[in-house]
Amino acid sequence: MKKRVRLISVAFLAMAALTAFTILKSKTKPGYVGSQTCALCHQAKFDSLQLTLHSKIHQVPTSGTVRPAWTGSVSMGSSYSNATVDLLMSGPVYQATLTPTSGFPATYDIAYTYGYGFKQRYLVKIDSSFYILPIQYNLNKYLDNSSGTWASYNPGTWFNADGTLKTINNTFRKKSWDKNCSSCHITGNKIRKSIVGNDTSWVATWADASSDLNMTVGCENCHGPGGDHISSMNADDIYGPQKMATTSIGRQNEMCGQCHSRSASPQHTYEYPYNEVADSGYYPGEVLADFYAPWQTLFNQTGGPGVWS
């Protein structure tokens, strides 16, 4: 009986490993499979990652993730006629009401927290894009939430000088988290420009169907996309910073591109350039060398991408 149980256990483990391998192998290479997939073989390291602030960059708002007591109002200051952002709860849902000096207020559900160690901001979703509310909570000290203070954060994104709310138009959408922030703060980022009629917006997607778990800096941000590694089961296909000198340039660029793939103007002012007119830019999974070739002579020069050659 013991032998039979042992054989069943071995068979089960073999089947589980084969299933995981099949799932991973089916991913397009190079592809970001998500930290939850890395955990299939590296559970201990995955558990350690969950204890770091990298895993807490964005979190679903709960009593354990929202740092301040969610009550009161935050003033936008005299430059915005003292308009306010009022904090409230609707059952378990965290909400913020942007209250202008005139006109109708706007209430949004908090979709994600943004930060955990020193300060915290908050993301709301409008249509298909995320935006950072004009408020910030500053902790007393690093990881010390015994006290803290509220401050406004770029209120000019949301409010006019007279305290009225700005119109949600193309100018407003250019300030989205998706367009300006997502590249460095999630795993396997892709930004696509969406044009519907006269409306232009930017939408970010990430690993594991844009799951909450991978809206963080995960395993693949430092070790590169897992698609090649798993499909060949070759340890040389995955790497960390200590192997940068011996790893192919393509793999280095693929990893570094996660943070240096920012949307920008056709004048190439921010990291790897993103041509808004042609909707052309580098995204993880594409061949970076093919993308940056036209801008080789601009590297580290005025108006060019600020990257190493």
Side-chain angles (χ1 to χ4, degrees):
M1 183 64 181
K2 288 184 178 180
K3 183 176 181 180
R4 183 181 178 186
V5 171
R6 188 180 299 113
L7 288 173
I8 291 174
S9 298
V10 172
F12 175 79
L13 291 174
M15 184 177 295
L18 179 61
T19 300
F21 175 73
T22 302
I23 293 171
L24 295 169
K25 189 173 182 179
S26 67
K27 300 291 183 178
T28 301
K29 300 188 303 178
Y32 291 86
V33 295
S35 296
Q36 81 292 338
T37 304
C38 302
L40 293 172
C41 296
H42 304 286
Q43 186 67 52
K45 292 182 178 179
F46 173 81
D47 292 342
S48 296
L49 175 65
Q50 302 315 298
L51 301 176
T52 69
L53 291 185
H54 279 135
S55 70
K56 297 177 174 59
I57 290 177
H58 302 108
Q59 299 182 92
V60 174
T62 67
S63 58
T65 61
V66 175
R67 300 304 256 167
W70 200 255
T71 59
S73 297
V74 184
S75 174
M76 298 296 98
S78 58
S79 296
Y80 299 92
S81 299
N82 297 309
T84 62
V85 175
D86 305 317
L87 313 177
L88 61 151
M89 299 289 299
S90 178
V93 178
Y94 289 78
Q95 295 182 323
T97 296
L98 281 69
T99 305
T101 51
S102 64
F104 294 103
T107 298
Y108 297 100
D109 294 346
I110 307 303
Y112 292 99
T113 63
Y114 186 5
Y116 192 81
F118 289 103
K119 57 193 174 186
Q120 190 168 74
R121 299 167 189 158
Y122 307 92
L123 298 181
V124 299
K125 193 171 188 179
I126 301 175
D127 298 325
S128 297
S129 302
F130 293 98
Y131 298 84
I132 305 174
L133 285 175
I135 55 176
Q136 175 175 299
Y137 184 75
N138 298 311
L139 279 67
N140 177 42
K141 296 178 182 177
Y142 176 64
L143 289 179
D144 180 356
N145 197 38
S146 60
S147 63
T149 56
W150 281 106
S152 61
Y153 174 75
N154 290 338
T157 299
W158 294 81
F159 290 94
N160 297 304
D162 62 359
T164 58
L165 282 170
K166 289 193 170 180
T167 303
I168 297 176
N169 54 20
N170 289 346
T171 300
F172 178 85
R173 294 186 189 99
K174 286 183 179 180
K175 300 294 185 179
S176 71
W177 168 91
D178 302 64
K179 182 181 189 296
N180 298 286
C181 311
S182 64
S183 292
C184 298
H185 296 270
I186 56 181
T187 300
N189 177 65
K190 291 185 179 181
I191 307 171
R192 298 296 183 188
K193 184 166 68 173
S194 174
I195 301 176
V196 180
N198 294 323
D199 295 331
T200 300
S201 59
W202 289 260
V203 180
T205 56
W206 52 92
D208 190 33
S210 302
S211 65
D212 295 341
L213 175 65
N214 289 289
M215 199 182 183
T216 62
V217 173
C219 306
E220 293 164 291
N221 289 77
C222 291
H223 295 287
D228 283 343
H229 169 57
I230 296 298
S231 63
S232 66
M233 298 303 284
N234 186 340
D236 291 336
D237 287 334
I238 208 75
Y239 63 96
Q242 74 278 9
K243 294 178 67 178
M244 288 291 276
T246 59
T247 306
S248 73
I249 293 296
R251 293 287 288 175
Q252 291 180 31
N253 288 337
E254 178 67 33
M255 188 176 84
C256 298
Q258 292 176 90
C259 287
H260 294 283
S261 169
R262 297 187 181 184
S263 297
S265 67
Q267 286 71 43
H268 324 308
T269 52
Y270 300 106
E271 306 305 341
Y272 293 140
Y274 180 96
N275 189 322
E276 298 286 4
V277 176
D279 191 21
S280 173
Y282 166 72
Y283 303 105
E286 296 180 2
V287 180
L288 184 60
D290 293 343
F291 167 70
Y292 69 59
W295 295 283
Q296 284 276 28
T297 57
L298 295 178
F299 277 177
N300 297 312
Q301 297 179 24
T302 301
V307 298
W308 44 266
S309 60

